Amino acid sequence: MKYFSTRGGAERLSFEETVLTGLAPNGGLYIPESIPSLPEDWKTTWKGYSFVELSVAILSLYISPNEISTEELRDLVEKSYATFRHPDVTPVKKLDDKTFILELFHGPTFAFKDVALQLLGNLFEFFLLRRNARKAPGEQQEKLTVVGATSGDTGSAAIYGLRNKANISIFILHPKGRVSPIQEAQMTTVTDANVHNVSVKGTFDDCQDIVKALFADKAFNAKHRLGAVNSINWARILAQQVYYFLSYFHVQAQLPAAADVELQYVVPTGNFGDILAGYYAKKMGLPIGKLVVATNANDILARFWKSGKYEKMDSVDGSSGGEQTTDASGVKETLSPAMDILVSSNFERLLWYLAYENAEGAGEAKRDAASKTLDGWMSQMKSNGRVEVPTPVLQTARKDFIAERISDDLTLKTIKTYFEDSTSYISDPHTAVGLAAARIIAQTNPPNTYQIVLSTAHPAKFSEAVSRALDQSPTFNFDRDVLPKEFEGLLQKEKRVIEVERPDIELVKAVIEQVAEKN
């Protein structure tokens, strides 16, 4: 299996090269040359597989055994998920007759990003150790400088996946004051020598733009050998496909035998990585219905499925939608801050497939046509802040997805509703966005549809929103009902962080240079 850039070019990379490179030199994202089909007997053979066994089976479809043997892959997977607190890694819970919740927050940082980033950290280390072992005595060792931007959970998950890894330094940019106190503390209280937190006075989109610009700077990239941990890295999307399959089997086991059912996944999303993994699973052959894109007031994705316009600002009213406070960049500050994003990086991958399905020709010519179309769309997006796709492309997008936008008020009401329900389930605000969208979509679903809502973070990571929703409930006690022992005293620990006064790539480059000189 080889990988190529969504924006074209003759370059084809191995899985190893794709993982270590992250972002393509032409600014595109790497995707596989083809999406593999599932084995004919997957429904019976995989039915009783554990998360680790499913991971090995699915990853093996994308990774040649000539690159990573089955035994090596199993060792990497076992090592990655030994850090999770639940034996199923990503367990499923039933909320009511038609709704299940897929809990993705049982990793070391209590967020769904752990599923991919624990594996990615081990892949980085595995590849570097193998490369360095092949070098002659005295030859310079290969090192990797990992850079990433976070709106909250990616940062801590990446840090916990890479802390103290051999030959790896990690720099995580986060928007100052725009992540929850717990999220900030999880990042900045890690004091391993190879971990560097950079607080940027700006937005997540500013941080993300800086990271992309660093990769685009060929001289700087070559000098420091940059690696990506954001969901632009293909390995993250690959790892996240596994829990769609695991939850499929676990939910099917709880439904009536031989029932004619359709499973519908509802995914709270900002950067589009988590739901894109579901798209790949579906295209591989997982029999599921439309994927539901659940957004907050930063609704660029919801607006796309409504109009076919992918634009930072709503061209109808000139806003980014919603009633929350808007900063100068147009980002809405919401109770679900990890989704406070104007431009969804991973959406480019889906746009390539939409262009491909509507391109003429076959084989390499069809791929080239799709890449050329995609490159044009992204150029328009960069220069104008918007692009409108042709009607046939939008119709193709609507075959696999539907979208819904959820306000902060409804987010709070949803947290309260599920707590006061018979299940007494406490969700974080991002999960609540998914639950709220699920209820809206369910009203028009066929009666045989069952919903699986992805729960992306532990509620303790967003204490302000959860407490605001539930403080008036007489039976609620945050410390008793929500706070895990791992978070106790976290906010009081010593922090180590580098502050950058404005979103300026040169300032961030200077930070990386200074650290490199010391090492």
Side-chain angles (χ1 to χ4, degrees):
M1 178 75 76
K2 293 290 186 178
Y3 297 83
F4 68 98
S5 169
T6 50
R7 302 192 192 184
E11 182 185 46
R12 296 293 186 270
L13 302 185
S14 66
F15 177 73
E16 176 177 339
E17 291 166 334
T18 300
V19 171
L20 291 176
T21 303
L23 187 71
N26 61 10
L29 306 185
Y30 288 110
I31 56 176
E33 283 190 311
S34 61
I35 299 176
S37 298
L38 298 174
E40 288 187 7
D41 61 349
W42 73 275
K43 280 190 177 182
T44 53
T45 304
W46 294 3
K47 187 176 182 179
Y49 276 12
S50 67
F51 190 94
V52 167
E53 291 167 331
L54 266 180
S55 292
V56 174
I58 293 167
L59 269 59
S60 295
L61 298 178
Y62 289 91
I63 307 170
S64 167
N66 295 327
E67 288 202 68
I68 304 177
S69 71
T70 302
E71 293 76 18
E72 289 170 328
L73 185 58
R74 177 173 288 277
D75 288 344
L76 284 166
V77 169
E78 287 179 344
K79 180 180 179 181
S80 299
Y81 299 117
T83 59
F84 281 64
R85 296 179 300 280
H86 197 284
D88 289 336
V89 181
T90 59
V92 172
K93 290 187 177 181
K94 188 173 184 178
L95 292 185
D96 57 45
D97 289 342
K98 290 290 185 73
T99 311
F100 295 81
I101 197 148
L102 173 57
E103 292 187 340
L104 305 177
F105 53 74
H106 293 277
T109 72
F110 294 75
F112 83 96
K113 308 287 178 76
D114 288 323
V115 177
L117 285 165
Q118 285 291 303
L119 177 63
L120 181 57
N122 287 321
L123 284 170
F124 279 154
E125 186 175 51
F126 172 81
F127 289 140
L128 287 174
L129 288 173
R130 186 169 68 181
R131 286 180 171 215
N132 287 329
R134 295 168 177 168
K135 290 185 178 297
E139 190 177 355
Q140 186 173 355
Q141 297 281 288
E142 285 193 42
K143 295 183 178 181
L144 192 67
T145 302
V146 175
V147 293
T150 186
S151 55
D153 287 330
T154 292
S156 54
I159 286 168
Y160 276 72
L162 291 172
R163 61 188 304 182
N164 205 31
K165 295 287 187 187
N167 302 310
I168 299 172
S169 296
I170 178 170
F171 294 81
I172 292 295
L173 282 61
H174 71 268
K176 184 176 182 178
R178 289 176 178 264
V179 298
S180 78
I182 287 291
Q183 289 175 315
E184 183 187 20
Q186 281 186 308
M187 292 186 289
T188 59
T189 58
V190 175
T191 56
D192 297 72
N194 72 322
V195 173
H196 311 282
N197 285 282
V198 183
S199 175
V200 179
K201 191 173 183 181
T203 68
F204 167 75
D205 289 280
D206 292 328
C207 296
Q208 187 166 249
D209 286 344
I210 291 172
V211 169
K212 288 183 177 180
L214 290 171
F215 277 95
D217 187 325
K218 293 182 179 179
F220 188 84
N221 193 339
K223 179 180 179 180
H224 295 282
R225 184 59 189 279
L226 300 186
V229 288
N230 284 83
S231 51
I232 57 175
N233 194 306
W234 164 250
R236 281 191 51 181
I237 307 302
L238 177 55
Q240 290 171 306
Q241 293 175 37
V242 178
Y243 46 71
Y244 284 90
F245 286 88
L246 185 78
S247 58
Y248 170 85
F249 286 119
H250 284 198
V251 169
Q252 287 282 4
Q254 299 182 53
L255 299 178
D260 177 24
V261 303
E262 181 173 277
L263 298 186
Q264 179 183 76
Y265 284 82
V266 185
V267 188
T269 190
N271 236 357
F272 206 72
D274 209 8
I275 196 165
L276 183 69
Y279 174 79
Y280 275 103
K282 184 176 182 179
K283 291 302 180 183
M284 288 173 68
L286 186 67
I288 59 178
K290 290 184 177 181
L291 294 151
V292 179
V293 180
T295 79
N296 61 19
N298 297 289
D299 59 351
I300 184 173
L301 296 172
R303 285 184 282 113
F304 172 83
W305 265 277
K306 181 179 179 181
S307 67
K309 298 175 182 176
Y310 185 53
E311 52 187 0
K312 293 182 179 181
M313 300 295 178
D314 191 335
S315 58
V316 175
D317 64 11
S319 75
S320 61
E323 61 284 339
Q324 279 80 14
T325 302
T326 308
D327 67 16
S329 70
V331 175
K332 298 283 185 179
E333 294 187 49
T334 75
L335 296 174
S336 45
M339 294 154 59
D340 289 351
I341 297 168
L342 282 187
V343 178
S344 303
S345 288
N346 260 291
F347 194 56
E348 177 170 335
R349 283 187 168 111
L350 178 65
L351 284 174
W352 186 90
Y353 287 105
L354 298 180
Y356 179 79
E357 289 191 40
N358 287 273
E360 295 181 354
E364 193 67 28
K366 188 172 183 178
R367 279 201 291 264
D368 288 344
S371 295
K372 184 177 180 180
T373 298
L374 184 280
D375 191 39
W377 287 344
M378 299 315 294
S379 294
Q380 288 182 52
M381 189 66 184
K382 184 176 181 179
S383 59
N384 303 327
R386 68 186 299 274
V387 63
E388 184 171 3
V389 302
T391 299
V393 173
L394 177 59
Q395 291 172 340
T396 302
R398 287 173 173 170
K399 290 178 183 178
D400 292 310
F401 296 89
I402 47 179
E404 193 66 47
R405 173 192 169 278
I406 303 300
S407 68
D408 269 0
D409 284 345
L410 185 53
T411 299
L412 292 171
K413 289 176 183 176
T414 302
I415 295 173
K416 184 177 175 67
T417 296
Y418 276 92
F419 175 72
E420 295 180 345
D421 194 24
S422 58
T423 55
S424 192
Y425 192 84
I426 302 176
S427 74
D428 86 288
H430 305 80
T431 303
V433 168
L435 289 167
R439 285 201 165 186
I440 293 171
I441 299 296
Q443 297 173 25
T444 56
N445 277 341
N448 67 332
T449 302
Y450 292 78
Q451 294 178 312
I452 302 173
V453 180
L454 273 60
S455 181
T456 54
H458 191 285
K461 299 195 78 168
F462 301 92
S463 56
E464 181 182 348
V466 173
S467 296
R468 184 170 159 187
L470 300 180
D471 270 351
Q472 300 306 311
S473 299
T475 58
F476 173 71
N477 181 284
F478 184 86
D479 288 350
R480 180 195 66 211
D481 300 332
V482 180
L483 191 68
K485 65 180 185 301
E486 290 88 344
F487 286 6
E488 293 175 5
L490 183 61
L491 296 178
Q492 285 72 50
K493 286 187 176 180
E494 181 183 353
K495 297 178 181 179
R496 188 157 64 87
V497 61
I498 303 165
E499 295 198 357
V500 173
E501 60 187 24
R502 63 183 181 275
D504 185 328
I505 183 175
E506 295 303 326
L507 294 177
V508 175
K509 285 166 72 173
V511 168
I512 296 172
E513 294 279 13
Q514 288 169 10
V515 171
E517 287 175 7
K518 292 179 181 178
N519 296 331

